[in-house]
Amino acid sequence: MRRPGKPKAAGTALPTPSTVTLPPVFTAWFERRGWSPRPHQLALLEGAKAGRSTLLIAPTGAGKTLAGFLPSLVDLTTQADRSNQGAGLHTLYISPLKALAVDVARNLTTPVTEMGLAVDIETRTSDTSTAKRARQRVKPPEILLTTPEQIALLLSHEDAHFLFRDLKVIILDELHALVASKRGDLLALGLARLRALAPGVLTIGLSATVARPSELRAYLVAQTAPDSHIALGDLVMTAGGAKPHITILESDAPLPWSGHTTRHAVPQIYAAVKAHKLSLLFVNTRSQAELLFQELWKANDDNLPIALHHGSLEAGQRRKVEAAMAAGRIKAVVCTSTLDLGIDWGDVDLVINVGAPKGASRLIQRIGRANHRLDEPSRAILVPSNRFEVLECRAALDAAEANVPDVALVRSGTLDVLAQFVMGVACSAPFQPDALFALVRSAAPYVELSRGDFDKVVDFVATGGYALRAYERYAKLRPAGDGGLRLAHPRLAQQHRMNIGTIVDSEMLKVRLVRAGQRPPSADGKPGRGKPLRGGRMLGEMDEWFAGEMSPGDTFVFAGEILRLEGVRDSEVYVSKSWAKDPKIPSYPGGKFPLSTHLASRVRAMLADPASWPSLPLPVAEWLALQAARSSLPGIDDVLVETFPRGDRHYLVAFPFEGRLAHQTLGMLLTRRLERAQARPLGFVANDYGLSIWAAGDLSAMIAEGRLPLAQLFAADMLGDDLEAWLAESTLMKRTFRICAVIAGLIERRHPGLEKSGRQVTFSTNLIYDVLRQHDPRHILLQAAWADAASGLLDIARLGEFLGRIEGRIRHEALTRVSPLAVPILLEIGKEPVIGQGAESFLRAAAEALIAEAMAPPS
């Protein structure tokens, strides 16, 4: 998607005094509460009366939700004639989380009930009963709160035109959380269809502070002239509330050089929890959540009610935690991004972010969970896990206090999501490709879609593409006459609806609790050897690969409990309770966030400015000063490269500060170039801050003698042939292709009465991937997978920007031993995804030797 240029029609500014007046029943309700309508709430109402779609950007506690619904409630209350041409659905509220939709429905019901408004309000999520969802298609409420996936599902039915004919308002909540992903593409395409089914529908966007509001405003209106400027909705912005109170925890224990356990700070974290009414403890991965929860319970001498909440837990357990929070029965909740967004879970008065937040926007969002009052400050504590994270936390704190969010990248709509959308349109009715192309281009992410790519997507949906068109199973569309296309068979509609969505989780197995000594059922369903199978309470889901790494008898932490593996059968893991003192910890790779570009630039600026170091904890300031004395520090726009010998190896350490994904790709490409230069590379490791490559060849000597010019080693042309050659033999592209194939409908995980396992899906997609690379290398899904890799798993776009920035700006330090700044990166070597405390002790000993070497005075 192009960056928006001059808007064709848009109002932008803080809300001005409004001339609109509320109906008496609303005015009386505000007065009974001791409130008065806020300017931005009246501004949205005024814009709605004028038929203008509007984006509202406001901080937590500003009444965004009520502002978004006010036009609908006023219209429903004051309509003289409420007769309908269709099903009677007036307002759609679309949320990124089903829990948020449920919470907003609960909070909306209060003013509706207190004002005595005759307005029907319901939610529709994957948790809604089948019978209720079927009834909602025929007799919907006037206000329906749902998710993007449910919208796509409703639009795929033949009666979509009847259901949405009376639609007047669409409310997009937490819009900033949707548009940067494929869910945003699916939402934008769904909005385009809703505008076609309900001409004149009004769209209201609600968002936290973003760097470029125009990117969100483009989602609110149809892009009717793709070859000119982007059309934008109106913009209403409110002034910020009270400045948040954010501190960085300084632990009494020594600050670790590396690692992410944060065990050193548990006593101070527990003390903060004790001192507050309700604390949310955010971490970035589910494995960190499990570990922190266990460590807090070890320290919980006061038996405080502390809960755990993450996406792999069974839904019923998550709902119990949420209910306890709302009722004030919980003292603290250890959680992941599942509680990031604007859900009102009781009287939260403290947010503790354990580990670096990885992005300023994410931190601002999380801080907003504390104290939902505009005129009182939110309180937050940042707890860095290691020394590099101290720098990152300091940068995030400065950005949050200045209310400067990360800059979201302008993205184009993906072709796999478009393929899913085309199939959904065909499920509802035959279509004309010309008309559908115009509809797709009216969606903001697809405004620059070429007719050639669109036709290739339609051909893929119809036939599977050139290499697969001979197989009947991939033929999903047939000619309908007059150049149109229709569904090849009615059963394909049911299969499509079972696989709608853009979230492709890693292969998951259900975790079932049984008694110790039991075994999973045999192939015929009978109990295996051992005690008879009893019990069976479901605890949640676990990554398939993690379960495969364990053997019966291994212990691990899951759902806040120490468990023992009894066995695995089909799609279920059987476990029993254990009291082992040295459990393993589940690792969930999908939950790791890379360091944002915004925070990376702030960290580089901090490193380059010694005047800022006094604001850092003393051990970190001394660490940087020692680095400056022994080597040098990275600059704002250059890259520091160190080489040194250690043992029988030679090391190259670079400090790009471009995030883990970009560094992993850079490490792979540099390794290939070092191999060609006969440096005999042996391996590499990367984290968010830098990377290290070790080799048998003397890298310092090769650079000094001109046999290994750094300018050529880091030249941007590595993103050409080197990248192509690596990807040809890499499993990363196959993994990316698998995700695209599932989203596009080439491989369907769920069929009526059947669900493929993760291994079956992987086998199928790997086979097709190899066929397409050989026989149809320009297939639309290979194109989609490459685009995903460039911005996702490989972060090629960010790597390209880095290589361009440092051209002619590479500083080399040839050292005799490891530098202080390189120690945390070298400590990543040898770490495994699952680490027990015994292995941790071994790594600690190795770390102490490495630190001693870096800190020793020059000889």
Side-chain angles (χ1 to χ4, degrees), residues 317-663:
Q317 183 171 342
R318 296 199 304 270
R319 299 293 92 81
K320 288 180 181 178
V321 172
E322 293 160 8
M325 290 172 64
R329 299 194 304 269
I330 295 287
K331 188 72 172 173
V333 180
V334 179
C335 55
T336 57
S337 56
T338 52
L339 295 183
D340 266 3
L341 298 179
I343 304 174
D344 187 4
W345 294 130
D347 197 8
V348 177
D349 58 346
L350 177 66
V351 164
I352 304 177
N353 199 96
V354 181
K358 301 301 173 189
S361 296
R362 181 174 297 108
L363 178 61
I364 294 169
Q365 184 81 45
R366 289 177 170 179
I367 290 172
R369 301 308 100 228
N371 192 1
H372 276 225
R373 286 174 287 278
L374 186 63
D375 55 349
E376 296 181 18
S378 298
R379 176 167 170 73
I381 301 175
L382 307 185
V383 186
S385 299
N386 56 58
R387 296 182 179 221
F388 267 126
E389 285 196 355
V390 170
L391 303 177
E392 189 180 336
C393 285
R394 181 74 248 179
L397 185 154
D398 293 342
E401 288 188 337
N403 201 29
V404 179
D406 301 305
V407 176
L409 295 176
V410 178
R411 55 174 279 117
S412 297
T414 60
L415 300 178
D416 52 343
V417 175
L418 178 57
Q420 184 182 121
F421 172 75
V422 169
M423 185 63 181
V425 171
C427 290
S428 66
F431 66 87
Q432 292 287 333
D434 290 346
L436 185 59
F437 177 60
L439 179 75
V440 168
R441 291 242 293 182
S442 73
Y446 293 91
V447 70
E448 292 187 329
L449 177 72
S450 71
R451 182 60 192 252
D453 281 347
F454 173 79
D455 288 341
K456 284 195 287 185
V457 169
V458 172
D459 181 61
F460 159 73
V461 177
T463 68
Y466 168 75
L468 302 175
R469 68 177 65 246
Y471 301 93
E472 183 66 22
R473 62 179 298 185
Y474 299 115
K476 296 182 178 180
L477 303 180
R478 298 202 183 282
D482 299 328
L485 293 168
R486 63 173 177 81
L487 204 61
H489 194 282
R491 62 174 168 77
L492 296 172
Q494 184 182 6
Q495 288 181 206
H496 170 75
R497 291 172 189 134
M498 293 181 68
N499 291 275
I500 281 176
T502 63
I503 301 173
V504 181
D505 293 322
S506 57
E507 299 81 18
M508 305 297 286
L509 302 179
K510 296 185 184 300
V511 181
R512 188 180 293 279
L513 184 66
V514 297
R515 295 184 180 179
Q518 292 179 233
R519 296 293 181 265
S522 57
D524 59 4
K526 296 179 180 179
R529 292 185 177 181
K531 297 179 181 179
L533 186 65
R534 295 190 181 94
R537 178 167 63 92
M538 203 66 70
L539 299 179
E541 295 181 315
M542 172 188 295
D543 293 275
E544 184 179 45
W545 70 265
F546 176 72
E549 291 291 316
M550 295 189 294
S551 301
D554 283 350
T555 58
F556 60 99
V557 177
F558 184 82
E561 300 182 68
I562 300 176
L563 304 172
R564 179 183 188 274
L565 179 66
E566 299 295 340
V568 179
R569 177 67 189 174
D570 295 329
S571 61
E572 294 194 340
V573 178
Y574 292 84
V575 300
S576 61
K577 290 190 176 182
S578 171
W579 286 265
K581 295 183 179 180
D582 186 22
K584 296 179 179 179
I585 305 294
S587 182
Y588 302 87
K592 297 178 180 177
F593 303 113
L595 177 67
S596 73
T597 303
H598 176 205
L599 285 194
S601 63
R602 282 180 174 265
V603 170
R604 289 197 302 270
M606 193 184 311
L607 289 171
D609 179 20
S612 68
W613 298 353
S615 66
L616 301 172
L618 183 60
V620 176
E622 291 176 344
W623 173 51
L624 298 183
L626 188 60
Q627 171 69 18
R630 300 284 173 83
S631 175
S632 61
L633 284 157
I636 296 176
D637 293 318
D638 63 17
V639 64
L640 171 64
V641 177
E642 298 176 340
T643 54
F644 52 85
R646 190 169 190 267
D648 58 353
R649 297 177 177 180
H650 295 267
Y651 290 80
L652 180 152
V653 180
F655 300 93
F657 290 90
E658 293 295 342
R660 173 177 47 88
L661 299 178
H663 293 167

Side-chain angles (χ1 to χ4, degrees), residues 18-40:
S18 175
T19 58
V20 71
T21 57
L22 286 172
V25 65
F26 289 84
T27 303
W29 179 78
F30 274 100
E31 290 175 351
R32 287 197 302 272
R33 289 278 187 135
W35 299 343
S36 59
R38 288 178 169 153
H40 59 273

Side-chain angles (χ1 to χ4, degrees), residues 767-852:
L767 186 63
I768 295 174
Y769 175 80
D770 292 336
V771 169
L772 294 181
R773 277 190 59 87
Q774 182 176 358
H775 299 289
D776 194 2
R778 296 188 177 182
H779 192 278
I780 199 71
L781 284 192
L782 292 179
Q783 185 178 333
W786 172 260
D788 271 12
S791 60
L793 289 172
L794 306 182
D795 217 350
I796 296 168
R798 186 168 176 182
L799 178 57
E801 292 176 1
F802 160 73
L803 294 173
R805 189 185 76 238
I806 66 165
E807 186 175 358
R809 296 188 177 93
I810 302 173
R811 287 190 294 115
H812 175 229
E813 297 283 353
L815 308 176
T816 59
R817 62 185 176 186
V818 60
S819 73
L821 206 63
V823 168
I825 297 175
L826 263 63
L827 288 176
E828 299 283 342
I829 298 172
K831 287 189 177 180
E832 300 295 334
V834 180
I835 303 175
Q837 293 180 354
E840 198 170 277
S841 298
F842 174 81
L843 289 174
R844 191 180 301 117
E848 289 171 356
L850 190 64
I851 294 168

Side-chain angles (χ1 to χ4, degrees), residues 7-333:
K8 294 193 300 181
T12 68
L14 295 175
T16 55
S18 175
T19 58
V20 71
T21 57
L22 286 172
V25 65
F26 289 84
T27 303
W29 179 78
F30 274 100
E31 290 175 351
R32 287 197 302 272
R33 289 278 187 135
W35 299 343
S36 59
R38 288 178 169 153
H40 59 273
Q41 293 172 330
L42 295 176
L44 274 191
L45 187 58
E46 188 170 31
K49 284 183 176 295
R52 299 194 305 267
S53 293
T54 305
L55 173 69
L56 170 61
I57 294 180
T60 298
K64 282 198 300 284
T65 303
L66 181 58
F69 280 101
L70 206 53
S72 296
L73 295 176
V74 170
D75 187 51
L76 284 167
T77 304
T78 57
Q79 279 180 353
D81 180 12
R82 293 178 68 169
S83 60
N84 303 306
Q85 294 181 321
L89 176 61
H90 181 281
T91 296
L92 267 180
Y93 164 93
I94 305 175
S95 155
L97 293 177
K98 56 186 177 183
L100 179 57
V102 172
D103 181 67
V104 168
R106 185 181 71 238
N107 292 335
L108 181 62
T109 301
T110 299
V112 167
T113 302
E114 291 177 351
M115 284 186 277
L117 305 181
V119 177
D120 297 327
I121 301 170
E122 291 182 5
T123 61
R124 180 190 176 96
T125 71
S126 58
D127 294 336
T128 305
S129 70
T130 304
K132 185 174 182 179
R133 279 186 281 169
R135 190 265 299 158
Q136 287 174 339
R137 285 175 45 210
V138 180
K139 194 176 187 308
E142 290 161 309
I143 298 179
L144 182 65
L145 297 91
T146 188
T147 61
E149 291 75 18
Q150 289 296 318
I151 295 298
L153 185 59
L154 289 169
L155 286 169
S156 73
H157 286 281
E158 298 88 343
D159 55 5
H161 65 285
F162 172 76
L163 175 62
F164 295 112
R165 182 177 297 171
D166 300 316
L167 188 64
K168 299 294 189 299
V169 181
I170 302 171
I171 302 169
L172 306 174
D173 201 359
E174 304 285 0
L175 183 56
H176 61 283
L178 282 170
V179 299
S181 69
K182 291 188 179 186
R183 294 185 81 201
D185 299 343
L186 186 67
L187 172 65
L189 292 168
L191 292 173
R193 277 209 70 198
L194 289 172
R195 294 187 195 107
L197 295 172
V201 67
L202 186 78
T203 308
I204 295 173
L206 308 176
S207 175
T209 302
V210 291
R212 292 198 291 259
S214 56
E215 294 181 20
L216 303 187
R217 293 164 65 192
Y219 272 74
L220 306 182
V221 294
Q223 303 303 317
T224 55
D227 295 325
S228 61
H229 294 300
I230 298 295
L232 304 176
D234 281 12
L235 174 65
V236 172
M237 297 182 66
T238 69
K243 187 176 180 181
H245 183 266
I246 313 170
T247 58
I248 297 178
L249 185 144
E250 293 193 32
S251 172
D252 298 331
L255 183 64
W257 287 65
S258 69
H260 303 281
T261 65
T262 325
R263 285 193 177 99
H264 69 285
V266 168
Q268 284 77 26
I269 294 173
Y270 182 71
V273 168
K274 284 181 62 177
H276 289 80
K277 185 175 181 179
L278 174 57
S279 302
L280 293 183
L281 283 66
F282 282 106
V283 294
N284 290 334
T285 69
R286 299 172 191 176
S287 58
Q288 288 173 326
E290 295 279 0
L291 187 146
L292 179 61
F293 181 74
Q294 284 292 315
E295 293 298 318
L296 284 173
W297 268 105
K298 291 177 184 177
N300 193 5
D301 296 333
D302 301 279
N303 201 28
L304 301 178
I306 301 174
L308 177 67
H309 193 288
H310 63 67
S312 282
L313 298 179
E314 197 270 328
Q317 183 171 342
R318 296 199 304 270
R319 299 293 92 81
K320 288 180 181 178
V321 172
E322 293 160 8
M325 290 172 64
R329 299 194 304 269
I330 295 287
K331 188 72 172 173
V333 180

Side-chain angles (χ1 to χ4, degrees), residues 687-702:
N687 63 14
D688 269 325
Y689 315 104
L691 70 152
S692 174
I693 302 173
W694 54 97
D698 188 337
L699 299 176
S700 295
M702 293 179 69

